[in-house]
Amino acid sequence: MTTPAASFSVHPTPIGEALIVVTDRGLAVLDVLDVARGALDGALQDAATALRRVVEPDETATAHVVAQLDEYFAGVRRDFDLPLDLDAVHGFARTALERIGEIPYGEVRSYAEVAIAAGSPGANRAVGSACARTPISVVIPAHRVVRSDGSIGEYGGHPERKRYLLDLEAEVSGVPAAV
């Protein structure tokens, strides 16, 4: 029995080119690529390894994700209505990402609050690791998780992306942005 292929496309967003990978189960990867030579090839290889599938280009298969992503960045979508394929994420990281997915648009929670919601008070660093390693950015809103002092944190080495997302949601929702 062969494992079905996953489909991908690369789509421009205001925070960079986004690699979108879908499987028969749903969105498996949404990775805003670094601007570096070979970034796409490396991200595709990482996705194929994590999913244990061949990843093939297919813009038609990712069109529903692209449409919702464009609506989000245009400020007309607050909640994504996409099936997610989190089969490559296990244990506490998966639980933390599921709790992060419940943070309302325009609001933030601290790493400590997410750890408590995920059933592991004190696992703040583990929540940070889950955020940093999430295979699905933006749709799983790791950008809504901030430090206990209210500062926004690193966001995988790209705090400017996190700031952009927080400011976008604050502007659309009318709620003041996180510090």
Side-chain angles (χ1 to χ4, degrees):
M1 183 171 148
T2 61
T3 303
S7 301
F8 85 91
S9 67
V10 176
H11 185 69
T13 76
I15 59 172
E17 297 282 310
L19 170 63
I20 300 165
V21 180
V22 297
T23 68
D24 54 334
R25 296 179 52 99
L27 176 63
V29 174
L30 197 160
D31 183 14
V32 180
L33 300 169
D34 287 329
V35 179
R37 177 177 233 159
L40 174 59
D41 292 337
L44 284 170
Q45 182 58 50
D46 290 348
T49 300
L51 298 171
R52 289 181 243 123
R53 297 173 186 234
V54 173
V55 181
E56 300 172 343
D58 184 347
E59 290 185 7
T60 303
T62 63
H64 62 295
V65 178
V66 167
Q68 289 193 29
L69 199 58
D70 286 347
E71 291 169 355
Y72 170 83
F73 282 111
V76 296
R77 175 171 292 278
R78 293 180 181 216
D79 297 304
F80 290 92
D81 181 23
L82 298 166
L84 302 180
D85 180 349
L86 289 173
D87 285 351
V89 183
H90 306 282
F92 179 77
R94 184 170 179 151
T95 303
L97 293 178
E98 289 167 349
R99 296 300 75 79
I100 290 165
E102 297 168 356
I103 301 171
Y105 183 95
E107 295 183 21
V108 296
R109 299 290 184 272
S110 71
Y111 294 101
E113 289 171 314
V114 173
I116 291 167
S120 293
N124 307 12
R125 288 183 184 212
V127 170
S129 292
C131 289
R133 293 187 183 115
T134 181
I136 304 173
S137 65
V138 183
V139 173
I140 295 178
H143 60 278
R144 296 180 191 154
V145 183
V146 299
R147 295 177 175 157
S148 293
D149 67 3
S151 62
I152 66 170
E154 286 299 311
Y155 200 60
H158 296 281
E160 72 283 357
R161 292 177 180 168
K162 188 171 190 172
R163 172 87 280 145
Y164 182 91
L165 296 170
L166 292 171
D167 289 347
L168 170 70
E169 291 185 10
E171 181 180 326
V172 170
S173 67
V175 175
V179 174

